[in-house]
Amino acid sequence: MSTDTHSIDDRVHEVLDNLYEAVSEPTCWTGALDSMALLFGAESANFFHWNDQAKALFAGQRSSSFGVLHSEWGYYHQINPRRRILQKLPAGTAINCVDYIDDRDVSRSEYFTDYSLPQGRRYLLGVNPVKHRSLTSAFAVMRAPDQAPFTSEQTRLLAHLVPHLSRIARLDLKMRQAREDGDLTGAALDRLADAIFITDWQGRIVRANAAAQAMLNERGALRSHYGRLKAAQPRQTTLLKGFIAAAALPARSGSSEAGGTMLINFGKCRRWSVAVSPLMPSARLFDVADRRLVMIVVSEIVVRAPLEEQLRQAFALTMAEARLARRVIEGATLEEIASELDVKISTLRTQLKSVFAKTETKRQGELMQLGARLDRLRGG
C-alpha cells in the first residue's frame, strides 16, 4: 500500500473520530465538519436533520467556513433541486451534483441564482444517510464556483463513509433525545418540594434539584464537604455514608434491594427523613460516566402542634377558650361540650362570646371555617 493511501486512511480515521466525538460533545461539531471539508478539498461542510412533515430544520451543524445560516434557508432548502434528487434515491446513496445538474440547469434555478451562488457554493457532494419517519439527515461538502467539481473518486470515498455517517446521524438523534429527556427530568425534579440528591458510591454529588441546592446553600440538614454529601453531625454523616455505600452495590450488580432511611434532627423543631436507594444503571436521568449512582430523597417531617395550642398562640385565647374552640371546630354542640367538661352551658356561651371577639368571627360556622384554614396552614 502506498504512502498516499496510508495518508488518506489516517485522514479518514481522524475525520470519523472527530464526528463521533461531536455526537457526544456538540461543541466539537464545527471542528469535525472543518476536518471533513478538508478531507474532500471542499470550501465548506454541513450536517443537519430536516423535518419533512413540518418543512423545517430540526437541527443543524456547520463548518466554520459555511458562515451564518441564511434567514430563508428553509425556503431555499425546499426548492433545492439536489434535495429532490436525494429524496428519490434510497437512503445512503452518495451523489455528486454534476452528475445530475449542469450549468444550464444552474442558470435557470432560483435556488442557485438567488441563494447558492451568492453564498459561494456551486458544487455539492452529499448523502442522506438516514430517513427516519419524518426526519431526513444529510451530510454535504461544498465547493465554490471557481473550484473544480468533485471527482468520481471522491464520490466513492463518501459512499465508503456512509455506514459511519448513518451511525453518527442516528446517534446524534438519540443523544439529542437523551439531552431533551434529561432537561425535562431536571425541570420536573426542580418543581418537587423534597430535596433530591444524586450521588456516586462515595457520596460525591452528581446532581441536586432546586430544593436540594437550597439546602446546601443554607447549610441545612445536609451539606456539601468538598463535593461530598454530609450531615450536620459526625455520627449522622457516618450512618449516611454507610447507607450510600450499601445502596451503590446493587447499582453495580443490577439489584434494587439495598437502601435505608434515617432521621435527622436539625434546629430546635425541625426533623428530616432521609431515604437512600440505588439508582439503577438503566435509569437515564443524567448523562454521567459512572452509573453506580444513588438517589437520596430528603423530606421535612412537619411536626404539628395541637390545635388548641395553635388557637391559643394565634388568638391569645385562654386554655378554656382554646379547648372550647377546638371542640366547636370539630363539630360538637354546646350541650355535648357541657356534658364532657361538666360545666354550665351559660359558662360556655360566655367563653364562646370571648372566642368570637378574639378570632373576629360571629358564629360557630365561621369559627369552623377558621379552624379549617388554620389546619391547612399547619399542614403547609
Side-chain angles (χ1 to χ4, degrees):
M1 187 176 289
S2 68
T3 305
D4 289 344
T5 304
H6 277 299
S7 177
I8 287 290
D9 286 344
D10 291 342
R11 290 163 60 191
V12 167
H13 286 307
E14 180 184 356
V15 169
L16 292 176
D17 286 345
N18 291 340
L19 291 173
Y20 277 114
E21 181 183 11
V23 170
S24 58
E25 181 47 67
T27 58
C28 296
W29 269 114
T30 300
L33 291 171
D34 281 344
S35 67
M36 186 174 180
L38 184 62
L39 174 65
F40 287 92
E43 185 271 335
S44 61
N46 70 343
F47 163 60
F48 60 88
H49 303 288
W50 173 262
N51 189 322
D52 296 302
Q53 186 174 3
K55 292 182 172 55
L57 181 69
F58 174 70
Q61 305 290 346
R62 303 175 296 281
S63 64
S64 57
S65 56
F66 190 94
V68 179
L69 198 65
H70 194 282
S71 59
E72 296 185 36
W73 184 90
Y75 165 74
Y76 285 114
H77 180 68
Q78 288 186 69
I79 65 171
N80 184 351
R82 298 176 300 211
R83 182 184 76 88
R84 295 171 181 171
I85 294 168
L86 279 167
Q87 255 188 337
K88 297 177 181 178
L89 297 171
T93 304
I95 73 159
N96 187 338
C97 74
V98 295
D99 295 334
Y100 298 88
I101 301 170
D102 58 24
D103 289 338
R104 185 179 180 184
D105 296 324
V106 169
S107 65
R108 295 178 175 181
S109 167
E110 177 188 356
Y111 170 81
F112 280 102
T113 57
D114 293 355
Y115 170 73
S116 187
L117 293 178
Q119 294 288 317
R121 295 189 280 271
R122 162 63 177 89
Y123 303 106
L124 175 140
L125 188 61
V127 62
N128 289 149
V130 173
K131 294 180 182 179
H132 180 65
R133 296 179 182 172
S134 62
L135 287 179
T136 299
S137 304
F139 278 95
V141 289
M142 287 145 285
R143 284 180 173 174
D146 58 352
Q147 292 181 290
F150 292 101
T151 65
S152 57
E153 184 178 353
Q154 289 170 325
T155 305
R156 287 193 294 272
L157 175 59
L158 181 63
H160 175 71
L161 298 182
V162 165
H164 287 285
L165 299 181
S166 176
R167 193 174 299 118
I168 288 166
R170 292 182 187 278
L171 285 172
D172 185 68
L173 287 172
K174 289 181 179 179
M175 289 298 293
R176 287 179 185 278
Q177 185 63 54
R179 284 191 286 269
E180 184 177 323
D181 291 345
D183 292 342
L184 181 61
T185 302
L189 291 178
D190 284 341
R191 295 298 299 271
L192 298 179
D194 290 342
I196 298 178
F197 296 92
I198 308 296
T199 74
D200 68 5
W201 63 283
Q202 292 182 316
R204 284 188 290 258
I205 300 171
V206 174
R207 178 67 186 266
N209 72 345
Q213 192 59 55
M215 179 178 287
L216 296 178
N217 294 340
E218 296 167 4
R219 292 186 61 79
L222 295 179
R223 53 197 66 182
S224 174
H225 182 68
Y226 295 107
R228 285 181 167 87
L229 198 63
K230 61 170 287 187
Q233 300 177 11
R235 187 172 65 177
Q236 294 173 338
T237 298
T238 301
L239 185 60
L240 178 63
K241 286 181 177 178
F243 279 133
I244 291 173
L249 291 173
R252 294 180 228 179
S253 62
S255 170
S256 59
E257 295 178 0
T261 303
M262 59 185 289
L263 294 178
I264 293 180
N265 293 316
F266 183 73
K268 292 183 178 180
C269 304
R270 303 185 75 181
R271 180 179 297 174
W272 302 82
S273 168
V274 180
V276 183
S277 60
L279 186 62
M280 302 301 291
S282 60
R284 297 296 300 272
L285 283 179
F286 307 102
D287 185 29
V288 292
D290 191 346
R291 294 288 181 187
R292 298 176 295 172
L293 301 180
V294 173
M295 185 185 314
I296 302 168
V297 180
V298 187
S299 308
E300 185 169 11
I301 300 173
V302 179
V303 182
R304 296 187 179 186
L307 182 56
E308 286 182 23
E309 181 63 20
Q310 291 284 323
L311 289 165
R312 192 179 67 79
Q313 292 180 3
F315 303 105
L317 303 181
T318 65
M319 292 296 294
E321 291 170 346
R323 185 169 57 241
L324 171 61
R326 175 180 64 81
R327 292 298 289 125
V328 170
I329 289 170
E330 291 173 348
T333 64
L334 289 182
E335 289 77 7
E336 291 171 339
I337 299 171
S339 175
E340 291 173 7
L341 302 179
D342 194 21
V343 296
K344 296 179 180 179
I345 289 184
S346 59
T347 302
L348 294 180
R349 289 197 177 106
T350 301
Q351 292 175 348
L352 188 57
K353 287 181 181 179
S354 178
V355 170
F356 286 157
K358 291 180 180 179
T359 59
E360 297 183 0
T361 55
K362 297 180 180 179
R363 56 183 67 90
Q364 293 183 29
E366 291 182 9
L367 184 60
M368 293 174 72
Q369 292 175 6
L370 175 65
R373 290 197 299 271
L374 184 60
D375 187 64
R376 286 196 294 272
L377 287 173
R378 292 190 306 135

